[in-house]
Amino acid sequence: MGTEFLKIIDVSKAHNVVKNLFERIYSPISVEKISLNEALFRVLSHDIHAHMDLPPFNRAIMDGYAVKSQDTFGATEENPAMLKLVEVVRAGSTPQKEIKSGFCSEITTGAPIPPGADGVVMVEFSQKNEENIELFTGSYPGQHIAARGSDIKKGELVLKAGTILSPDKIGVLAALGYSTVEVRSKLKVAVISTGNELVLPEEDLEYGKIYDVNSSTIYSALESYGVHPLLKGIIPDEYAAVKNAIKHSLEDADLIITSGGTSAGAGDVLREVMDDMGEVMVHGISIKPGKPTIIGEVNNKMVIGLPGNPTAALIVLDVLIAPYLKNFSGCAAHYKPSDKIKLPMASRFHSAQGRMEYLLVKIVGGQVNPILKNSGAITGLSEADGYIKIPKTTEMILEGDLVEVYFFDDIIH
């Protein structure tokens, strides 16, 4: 005989349970130091202040001639300024000569400005005659020069804690001389599929068996949330096997997500295992699909039991767990807001009154078409553009009624 559900609770109360568990168990957030080359899309753990000026010296931003600008005032093609060349300064070298009145240095882009010079005349407006340079246009102080500290000044706040390290942010750190950076550690999340009927995709499919869908879909979703998933394989619906899988997962995972075995039937043992190993806070949520979801704690780590049906598992994961994983990893800012638009229903729909329902829908001709497949049909997700939320007090949506559509493209990248 199966275990009965606990008191069925609203989605909002389930959110409060998950929120409180995250705040108690996973705070403060741990930090690790990694190579800058491994930092793409990781989350900065602390503020970065510049320890140097950028650029660190006055540098030319054009090829040309470094001059005292007053020597070039009024220069034209008809009346060029005539200056004597003293040296060539290339990027990466150090000027050896000071620029005095009547003299100039040839300079390349990125090279340090020689002392005494305050402007650069572009090479396009010049002509070299042996050691004499004719300049056909005037310069002014600071022209074509990136002044020391004009980009970033020493001590300036460059990147805030919580910043996602995109390529441009990594470039800033490289410019400041960083080879490593401290980032938030990724939460390690074990992924366990339970079910006597499940086999791996590479195995032969015998009669009565089905391929394991949830491991791959949950793993992929978790990666998009900025956490580090750990595949733990398929476990039969047996007390000892489930208990052993959770016990071993606790050794290297910070959080455990299972799918299947969460209902109150004779073959659903997760609730019993969690009661014996720790505490079950939630078993049963007023949501469709996803009612038999389990939320609990074992050895100061969260254990989430998702339904076995693929659509139910992914919707519960996205609605109930994903917001906290994204917030923990810091990647919430990497997601677009969940845009929603109001569109008319293409047909009448009877809802599951008494439970919040998340109904998969497809947009055709500007109208919302319900996808009427059970939560075990993975093709429902592949056909869906998104879903609509139907309050538990709503019994029917009529043809033409406006509903808010949440698009999957705005939820998972």
Side-chain angles (χ1 to χ4, degrees):
M1 180 176 179
T3 305
E4 293 182 358
F5 287 110
L6 295 179
K7 181 180 178 181
I8 307 299
I9 65 172
D10 289 338
V11 176
S12 60
K13 291 184 179 179
H15 268 291
N16 287 335
V17 172
V18 176
K19 179 176 181 289
N20 291 336
L21 282 170
F22 262 91
E23 289 177 349
R24 177 168 59 81
I25 297 175
Y26 304 111
S27 181
I29 295 170
S30 60
V31 172
E32 63 177 321
K33 181 181 288 188
I34 62 173
S35 163
L36 201 61
N37 293 331
E38 300 172 326
L40 185 62
F41 299 140
R42 296 298 296 272
V43 180
L44 194 63
S45 64
H46 63 287
D47 291 345
I48 297 285
H49 291 82
H51 59 272
M52 58 184 287
D53 289 327
L54 278 183
F57 51 84
N58 295 338
R59 64 196 292 266
I61 59 175
M62 294 288 181
D63 292 341
Y65 294 92
V67 300
K68 281 186 175 297
S69 56
Q70 64 184 16
D71 288 343
T72 68
F73 291 165
T76 65
E77 289 190 17
E78 293 76 22
N79 185 30
M82 301 289 292
L83 300 177
K84 187 173 181 63
L85 183 66
V86 295
E87 68 173 335
V88 176
V89 184
R90 303 189 185 282
S93 66
T94 302
Q96 302 299 313
K97 305 284 187 177
E98 180 181 356
I99 300 303
K100 298 179 179 179
S101 184
F103 294 86
C104 68
S105 290
E106 185 177 347
I107 195 164
T108 63
T109 300
I113 300 296
D118 65 352
V120 172
V121 176
M122 293 171 60
V123 69
E124 290 90 334
F125 301 104
S126 69
Q127 181 173 304
K128 183 186 292 188
N129 294 317
E130 296 181 354
E131 294 184 356
N132 294 317
I133 306 299
E134 294 182 68
L135 302 177
F136 305 123
T137 186
S139 181
Y140 55 82
Q143 186 176 26
H144 302 317
I145 293 175
R148 175 176 178 170
S150 59
D151 188 3
I152 298 172
K153 293 191 180 298
K154 184 177 180 180
E156 180 182 341
L157 176 62
V158 179
L159 296 173
K160 291 184 178 181
T163 297
I164 294 174
L165 294 175
S166 52
D168 54 319
K169 305 299 189 299
I170 292 173
V172 170
L173 293 174
L176 289 169
Y178 283 88
S179 60
T180 61
V181 63
E182 290 187 350
V183 296
R184 292 185 185 183
S185 298
K186 282 192 174 185
L187 201 67
K188 295 183 177 67
V189 181
V191 179
I192 302 171
S193 285
T194 69
N196 298 326
E197 76 280 16
L198 301 179
V199 296
L200 295 172
E202 63 268 21
E203 296 177 346
D204 292 335
L205 193 64
E206 298 177 2
Y207 183 79
K209 303 290 186 179
I210 59 172
Y211 288 123
D212 175 24
V213 172
N214 286 342
S215 288
S216 297
T217 52
I218 292 171
Y219 184 99
S220 300
L222 291 174
E223 277 203 317
S224 79
Y225 303 153
V227 302
H228 179 51
L230 304 170
L231 278 181
K232 296 297 183 177
I234 299 171
I235 307 300
D237 284 321
E238 299 170 1
Y239 179 93
V242 174
K243 183 175 182 179
N244 191 54
I246 291 177
K247 179 182 177 182
H248 286 295
S249 295
L250 291 169
E251 296 173 0
D252 60 354
D254 304 301
L255 186 151
I256 298 171
I257 292 180
T258 73
S259 63
T262 61
S263 194
D268 300 306
V269 299
L270 180 62
R271 161 78 186 282
E272 184 182 357
V273 169
M274 289 180 60
D275 277 334
D276 291 344
M277 296 183 72
E279 180 182 2
V280 175
M281 286 94 165
V282 175
H283 185 199
I285 302 174
S286 182
I287 182 177
K288 180 182 179 180
K291 176 184 175 182
T293 299
I294 293 177
I295 303 169
E297 178 183 352
V298 177
N299 292 356
N300 199 38
K301 294 182 180 181
M302 282 183 65
V303 179
I304 308 294
L306 299 177
N309 287 337
T311 299
L314 282 181
I315 284 181
V316 173
L317 180 65
D318 184 76
V319 169
L320 189 60
I321 311 301
Y324 305 98
L325 293 176
K326 293 177 191 177
N327 185 61
F328 179 93
S329 70
C331 78
H334 195 49
Y335 282 71
K336 297 183 292 181
S338 294
D339 291 339
K340 51 189 179 184
I341 63 172
K342 286 190 174 182
L343 294 171
M345 285 289 286
S347 60
R348 185 171 59 178
F349 179 77
H350 290 271
S351 65
Q353 191 178 21
R355 284 195 280 167
M356 171 73 83
E357 183 167 2
Y358 292 80
L359 176 66
L360 296 178
V361 296
K362 185 174 182 62
I363 310 302
V364 179
Q367 292 186 311
V368 179
N369 292 263
I371 294 178
L372 304 177
K373 293 187 176 183
N374 65 58
S375 57
I378 190 64
T379 53
L381 275 174
S382 66
E383 295 172 7
D385 294 311
Y387 58 77
I388 62 174
K389 298 179 182 179
I390 305 176
K392 64 180 181 179
T393 55
T394 299
E395 181 177 358
M396 183 183 297
I397 303 175
L398 299 176
E399 180 181 348
D401 282 354
L402 293 178
V403 293
E404 287 186 333
V405 181
Y406 294 78
F407 290 98
F408 283 124
D409 285 345
D410 297 318
I411 297 166
I412 301 180
H413 288 298

